[in-house]
Each structure stands twice: as structure tokens, then as C-alpha cells.
Amino acid sequence: MHALSGAKEFGALFLRRWRNAFSTILFYIVQFLLVVWIFGTSYAMVVSCSTTMFQLRRKEPNRMEDYVATCAMSLLLCLLAFAAGLNVWLCAALNFAVPFFLVLWRCSQFTPKGHLGYAMTFVFLELRPPTLEQLPTQLAAVAFCCVLLVAALIINARVQHISSDPAEQITRSLLRLAQLLDDLAAGGDARAAGRELYELTRGFHRMGYDRRHLLELPDRQKRFYHLFALLFQRASYLITDQEAWKRARETPGFSQTMHTLAKLVRQLQQAEDPASRQQLSGKIQALLDHTDLPQGRLRIFYRSVLHTLLILCRESLHPRHGVSWHQVPWSAVWQDLLHRLSPKRFELRFALRLAVVMTVSCTISYLWEFEHTYWFPLHAYLLLQPSYEESAHRMVTRPVGTAIGCVLVHLVYPYLPGLPGVFLFSLVMISLMYCCTPGTWVHPIFSTAFALTMATLTVRETEAIWLRLLYLAMAVALVLVVNRFLLPNRRGPQFRRNLQELYQLQSTYWGVIRRSLRQPVDPALFSELLSQFHMVYHEAAQYIDQLPPEQAAFYRPRLVVLWNMFSELEQAESLIQTGAVTPAEVPPLDNLAAALETRICSLRDLETLRPEGLPQDELYYVLNRYLENARALCPIQPAAPAP
């Protein structure tokens, strides 16, 4: 009975995974057959690159500029992969520089594997480099696969109803926010609403962060995403603190306030032209001028949302075009680069390890003129992951799966009916591979079976098996050494660095607040700080969820306090930006900001700080809550998490 139940569960799981992977499998098979037919089997490696890109992007909204960038980058990486095969010096230099650059450019704590598609294209294409005479054909094959990739992504987006239109994404989110506000006004589930609002906040921060470029040109659509993230974050902040939420619900006029905000959010969603937005702006300004709520969390939330809606009414969803080079903020670009090159940053640590692994493995493969030496860098690339723990896990699962795959090929290969049987078996294996989760022991069974079966076209089956195992052992040894001694990115130390960065970002924010008291500051700077904070916060929260219950119970409330503090910081800046701070209030606020800028990182000497010299209004309330939260963290000496 148990066996029958297990078989049914396995069948249901396999069917779900097959359905999920079907579009990727179909795309691979169509590409493979067309490339082999048009260009020949020598160029089949190109198919894996474009299939990986499809697999990574098929559920994402893709714009026309994304398609153009993907095609152009793929062709450039093809040329760089060719150049890496010209001599040993270019091989070493490019295998260090290209992966290093791709990680710094594409990876973040939002997307720790953002480099994967492009890096795999470079690595795979250099594994079997073409001759100079074959290069035009390889470029043609890459271009052909890019065309198929774009066509497949467009078809998949229509079938799956994935929209790349920002207006449509924003419309759905605004309607959902209005519904949640109405539900909360009627006594709905605050915890569930808080989780959904947090995910919406993070989603918009990620969309804004994904619009980063090497040169940070003005991008109003990116700012628009950050503003919507701010809107959802303020609603999430209101209901996360259960005690404060309880007091807010007991405030007279709570239900009417929430319904009023829900109505305004719907009106913003419907305001498509400047005239209607201007009319709504006047209505919001009137509500700001006549706020009857008593001082407290609900009043702060209400006015903060009104301020954000007012800003959104004055913004345009459409980004600017034709930005000239003189508008590039070169100072900000340089500062951002220096920030990413800090040894404390996740991006630099991973970029350096990947660059060293690829340099060593590809150089050895280049110099060692032996059969299928490209399996060495291929294994090394797949074993090395952003975190030490994930790499260590793969160094166990991949050898196990590879060994099973070798046994499978050894048993099946003698019974394959010639070349058609080899190709059919290979396609079945690669199809099953796309149904599996990368990093598990099952995934390399099918990837190994596919690679070995294709390798039998040039070497004997037994020789291919021993070579596969040899190169895997070499890759495990290399990655083990690099992961152990070169800036290891263990999750425990990374978590401690993330906590420190959450404090450092608050110190930076206080410095920017001081600047904003003296001169106008680009609002995009505050958006970037808020986005960075939420990115680091989310990674820290994910790590806490994996800790033992007693350690998780220690860290989780403190992380929430840090989140509340940053929300209060942002609300203080909002009051400054909207003119709520009078000239007489600037000196005491500047003194308090200067003290907090230097003391918040170490949480020292906070007992004497008070928002003195400020009238007891909204700004006083926000700053006082911030100081209370900061002082609550002062005596805490956290136990070190597991390494």
C-alpha cells in the first residue's frame, strides 16, 4: 500500500516537473535539431547557452531592449570566447576578467546568480573554440539561436500571459493595495496582509534594482518602481509591529482613514492623463492640509501615504530617452564601483573566486592537450556557487550523480541502435535533466548520461567514463581549495556582515538627511538606499529562517526593529522633503542627525540623545520612536550564529 502511494506521489511530482519544464525541453530539442541540421554537430554547444538563457528568463517580463542586449552580449561573448583560445595569455586574462566583470555587473543579493546566463555562454563557447575559419559559422549559429530565443520568449510570454508593460504591473499592484486597505479597515488578517505587502515591496525594489546600468543614467521608470515600493513598504510598516498596529486600530477614525486611502489609490490607478492626476493632486493636498487624526502611528502612516501619492501624481511613468553623456553622474558611478569592490561585499568575494577558478581550470585545459579536457573547467564552473555551503553541497551531490550517470551509460550504451539511437538517448537524457532541480544528486545523472553519450561519437565509452570522473575529481579539488582559502563566503560571517551593513546604511542615510537640510538632494539617492537596505534585509531574514529555533527567536525581533528604524528614517526624510520642517527646526535636527550618523553603527552613547528643540509634532514622534528602537538594541550582545 505504501509502495503504491509512493509511486502515485512520484508520478504526480514527475508530471508537475515535466509540465513546468516542457517549454524549455521543447525549445532545446527544436534548437538542437535545427543547429545540427544547418550548422553541424560541432556547433551543438551553442544550444545549451541559449537554452539556459530561455530557462532563466521565461518567467520574467522581457522588454525589447532586453532582447537586443541579450543578442548583442551573446555575440560579444562569442568573440571573447574565441579570443581566449588564441594563446595562453589571452586565455588566462579573459577567463579572469570576463567572469569577474559579469558577477560585478549582474549579481546582487536580490539576484546572487544573475551572472549565470552570460557567464555560461562565455564558458561553454570557449570549451571547444572554433578555428579562425570556423568563427563566422559559430557567430552565425549564435545569432541564429538568439533569434530563436527571442521568438521563444515572446511566444512563451503570450501563452503564459506575462506582461512586460510597467503600467499593467502597476495597475494590478495598486488594485491589490486598495483591496488590502479595505480588508484591513474591515478587520482582515493583518499578518497575511503584512506578508503580501512585504513581497510586493520587495518585488518593486527588485524591478527598480534590475534597471541598474554600468552608467547610472537618469531613469524615471526606475524611480517610479522605487516610489511604488515605498508606498507598499509604508503600509507593511504600519501592520508589522503588532503593538503599534493594535493602537492604530483603536484610533478614532481608523476605518474611515483606511477606506479613504484605498479610494485614493484606486483613483491614482484610474488617473491616466495629466489633468486627472492634477485634480487628484489637489484633493490629496487638501487632505494633507486638514488632517484631524491625533498624533500616533496611524497619523504618520496616513500622511506618509498621502505624501507618496502626491509625488506619484506628479511623476510620469514613461522614462526619458536620449540622455546625453554629460548627464552621467560620474562621481556616483565611481562611488558605486568602489562600494562594490569592497572585500566585505558579496559580489567581490564571489567574483574573485569565480575568476580564479576559471583562470586556473581553463589555462590547464588549454595547455593540457588531452581528450575532453574542457570537462575540467565545465565541472569547476558548475561546482562553484555564490555561497560556501551551496558549493560544498554540490561537491557531494555532483560526484554521486555523475557516478550513477556513468553506470547508466555503461549499461545502456551497448544496446543503442547506432547513431540514431545515440541521438535519441541523448535527447531523452537532456529532457529529463531539465525536469530536475540543479544542485541535487539527480540532476547530474542525466547531464552526465547526455555528455557521455555524445562523447562516444569521438572516444570509446569506457574511456569517456574514466575521463569524466577524473576531470570531476580535479574540479572538486580546485573548488575546495579556492572556497576554503580565497575570501570564503560562508553564510554565518555573511549574515554578520549583512547586519553591520544594515547599521552602516542608516549612518549613510543620516548623512544624506543632513545634506538635504542644506540643499536639494536627488530623490533617487534615497530610493537607492532604501532598495539596498531591503535587499540586505531580505537575505538576512532568509538566513534567520534557517537557524535553530532559539537563535532565530533571538535575531528575528531585532531584525524587525532595524527595519522599523529604517522606515522611521525614511519618514523623517519625507517630512523634510515636503516642507514640514521649519527653518527654526533645522539646527536641532541637524545636531541630532550628526550625532546619530557617527553613533548608530556602534550603537554607543545613545542614552543622552533626545529630539530636543523640536515641537512635539509628527517629526518629534518619528524621531523619538527611532531613538527608542535604537536604545532597545544597545544592551544586546548577540550570540554568534552557526558558521
Side-chain angles (χ1 to χ4, degrees):
M1 196 67 181
H2 289 293
L4 181 60
S5 175
K8 287 183 178 179
E9 290 180 4
F10 175 78
L13 176 63
F14 176 78
L15 188 60
R16 284 197 306 271
R17 293 197 171 183
W18 175 265
R19 288 175 177 170
N20 182 56
F22 178 74
S23 59
T24 304
I25 295 168
L26 179 62
F27 180 61
Y28 180 88
I29 292 175
V30 169
Q31 275 194 116
F32 182 84
L33 295 175
L34 288 174
V35 168
V36 170
W37 177 48
I38 297 172
F39 302 99
T41 57
S42 301
Y43 303 94
M45 189 70 79
V46 174
V47 176
S48 297
C49 306
S50 51
T51 305
T52 300
M53 296 294 294
F54 176 82
Q55 190 176 25
L56 293 171
R57 304 183 67 164
R58 64 193 174 100
K59 295 183 180 180
E60 300 291 331
N62 296 287
R63 302 159 294 164
M64 186 54 65
E65 51 263 44
D66 295 326
Y67 296 136
V68 173
T70 299
C71 295
M73 196 67 184
S74 297
L75 292 170
L76 174 60
L77 291 171
C78 181
L79 291 172
L80 291 172
F82 168 75
L86 293 178
N87 60 62
V88 67
W89 301 111
L90 278 174
C91 176
L94 289 174
N95 276 286
F96 186 92
V98 174
F100 188 89
F101 169 78
L102 290 175
V103 170
L104 285 186
W105 175 37
R106 302 292 300 178
C107 290
S108 69
Q109 286 158 298
F110 273 133
T111 52
K113 297 182 183 179
H115 71 296
L116 192 60
Y118 287 139
M120 188 171 287
T121 299
F122 173 74
V123 172
F124 275 41
L125 291 180
E126 74 162 323
L127 294 181
R128 299 180 67 182
T131 64
L132 184 59
E133 293 75 17
Q134 294 172 325
L135 179 61
T137 307
Q138 175 127 321
L139 286 170
V142 171
F144 177 73
C145 287
C146 285
V147 172
L148 293 179
L149 172 64
V150 171
L153 287 173
I154 292 173
I155 293 171
N156 182 75
R158 291 187 178 180
V159 171
Q160 300 293 330
H161 305 291
I162 300 172
S163 174
S164 60
D165 182 9
E168 187 174 329
Q169 297 169 326
I170 289 169
T171 293
R172 289 197 305 268
S173 300
L174 283 176
L175 291 176
R176 184 57 185 155
L177 174 60
Q179 183 180 349
L180 287 172
L181 291 172
D182 281 333
D183 291 345
L184 290 170
D189 186 351
R191 289 184 181 275
R195 287 192 296 269
E196 186 171 353
L197 287 166
Y198 175 77
E199 289 302 321
L200 286 168
T201 301
R202 184 170 175 270
F204 274 105
H205 275 307
R206 178 173 178 175
M207 285 190 284
Y209 203 82
D210 285 346
R211 292 187 65 88
R212 290 181 310 155
H213 304 286
L214 291 177
L215 301 179
E216 292 296 330
L217 300 174
D219 187 342
R220 297 184 69 179
Q221 187 167 316
K222 177 181 175 181
R223 169 164 162 72
F224 215 71
Y225 284 142
H226 285 313
L227 284 172
F228 274 98
L230 183 59
L231 184 64
F232 291 109
Q233 183 260 344
R234 283 173 171 168
S236 177
Y237 168 61
L238 173 69
I239 60 182
T240 299
D241 188 333
Q242 294 300 309
E243 289 299 321
W245 170 241
K246 182 180 179 181
R247 291 195 298 271
R249 291 186 62 181
E250 294 171 351
T251 304
F254 166 78
S255 180
Q256 181 182 352
T257 298
M258 301 297 280
H259 284 308
T260 298
L261 292 177
K263 183 179 179 181
L264 291 172
V265 169
R266 289 192 179 93
Q267 290 176 353
L268 176 64
Q269 182 267 318
Q270 297 168 358
E272 298 180 353
D273 57 273
S276 57
R277 288 199 297 270
Q278 185 176 3
Q279 184 178 2
L280 178 59
S281 175
K283 183 184 298 186
I284 294 171
Q285 187 62 57
L287 290 171
L288 280 169
D289 293 339
H290 302 88
T291 303
D292 297 327
L293 291 171
Q295 290 293 343
R297 178 68 68 86
L298 183 62
R299 177 186 173 94
I300 295 291
F301 163 73
Y302 174 67
R303 291 182 62 83
S304 296
V305 172
L306 289 180
H307 284 139
T308 307
L309 293 174
L310 190 62
I311 295 172
L312 288 168
C313 286
R314 297 168 180 170
E315 292 284 332
S316 171
L317 177 60
H318 305 288
R320 296 175 184 170
H321 296 283
V323 180
S324 59
W325 286 99
H326 74 272
Q327 292 179 280
V328 176
W330 294 108
S331 176
V333 171
W334 177 247
Q335 290 299 321
D336 179 64
L337 179 61
L338 292 179
H339 184 61
R340 294 193 200 188
L341 291 176
S342 167
K344 296 181 179 180
R345 294 285 299 178
F346 147 80
E347 294 93 334
L348 176 73
R349 301 172 77 87
F350 177 46
L352 192 58
R353 291 200 310 278
L354 181 61
V356 170
V357 164
M358 295 316 302
T359 301
V360 173
S361 60
C362 289
T363 303
I364 292 176
S365 175
Y366 181 90
L367 294 174
W368 190 12
E369 296 181 0
F370 201 65
E371 194 68 47
H372 284 76
T373 52
Y374 64 83
W375 279 345
F376 175 33
L378 176 62
H379 281 307
Y381 173 78
L382 295 174
L383 285 172
L384 189 72
Q385 298 297 308
S387 75
Y388 177 91
E389 289 80 2
E390 189 175 357
S391 283
H393 177 72
R394 290 201 177 196
M395 280 187 273
V396 174
T397 59
R398 191 161 189 85
V400 171
T402 300
I404 297 174
C406 290
V407 172
L408 176 63
V409 171
H410 181 69
L411 295 175
V412 173
Y413 183 77
Y415 301 98
L416 296 178
L419 189 60
V422 168
F423 277 107
L424 180 60
F425 181 73
S426 298
L427 291 177
V428 171
M429 291 297 100
I430 200 72
S431 299
L432 292 174
M433 185 197 76
Y434 284 120
C435 295
C436 302
T437 304
T440 61
W441 64 272
V442 180
H443 187 271
I445 294 176
F446 302 112
S447 62
T448 298
F450 168 79
L452 289 177
T453 308
M454 295 298 292
T456 58
L457 298 176
T458 57
V459 297
R460 293 195 308 274
E461 164 246 339
T462 53
E463 183 181 352
I465 288 174
W466 287 113
L467 287 175
R468 186 81 176 181
L469 294 173
L470 170 65
Y471 294 134
L472 174 59
M474 292 171 60
V476 168
L478 173 62
V479 173
L480 188 64
V481 169
V482 172
N483 258 352
R484 177 67 178 84
F485 297 105
L486 183 61
L487 296 178
N489 208 43
R490 294 178 182 269
R491 288 177 179 171
Q494 181 62 44
F495 172 68
R496 291 190 286 271
R497 287 192 294 270
N498 285 339
L499 287 182
Q500 185 62 29
E501 185 167 0
L502 293 179
Y503 287 108
Q504 183 59 51
L505 285 168
Q506 298 204 38
S507 174
T508 303
Y509 206 115
W510 279 116
V512 178
I513 282 180
R514 295 190 68 202
R515 284 170 50 195
S516 70
L517 291 173
R518 296 170 172 78
Q519 61 188 29
V521 174
D522 185 358
L525 179 56
F526 295 104
S527 299
E528 291 292 336
L529 287 172
L530 188 61
S531 175
Q532 181 73 13
F533 182 90
H534 278 274
M535 180 177 65
V536 177
Y537 176 91
H538 181 74
E539 186 182 359
Q542 283 185 316
Y543 178 79
I544 288 174
D545 290 339
Q546 300 170 4
L547 289 174
E550 62 277 7
Q551 285 188 331
F554 179 88
Y555 279 105
R556 191 173 289 113
R558 288 148 183 81
L559 196 64
V560 172
V561 170
L562 282 170
W563 186 69
N564 288 339
M565 289 170 64
F566 207 85
S567 298
E568 288 147 6
L569 247 180
E570 184 279 321
Q571 289 180 352
E573 174 57 27
S574 176
L575 292 171
I576 297 171
Q577 293 293 326
T578 54
V581 178
T582 64
E585 295 169 343
V586 169
L589 178 56
D590 183 55
N591 291 335
L592 180 62
L596 286 168
E597 183 182 2
T598 58
R599 301 181 193 181
I600 198 62
C601 270
S602 54
L603 289 175
R604 59 182 176 81
D605 302 330
L606 298 180
E607 292 298 327
T608 59
L609 293 181
R610 297 286 187 279
E612 297 174 351
L614 297 173
Q616 296 192 12
D617 55 8
E618 293 170 56
L619 181 61
Y620 182 94
Y621 177 86
V622 168
L623 294 176
N624 197 51
R625 278 195 59 83
Y626 181 90
L627 290 169
E628 288 176 358
N629 282 325
R631 284 192 286 267
L633 294 175
C634 281
I636 294 172
Q637 297 296 327

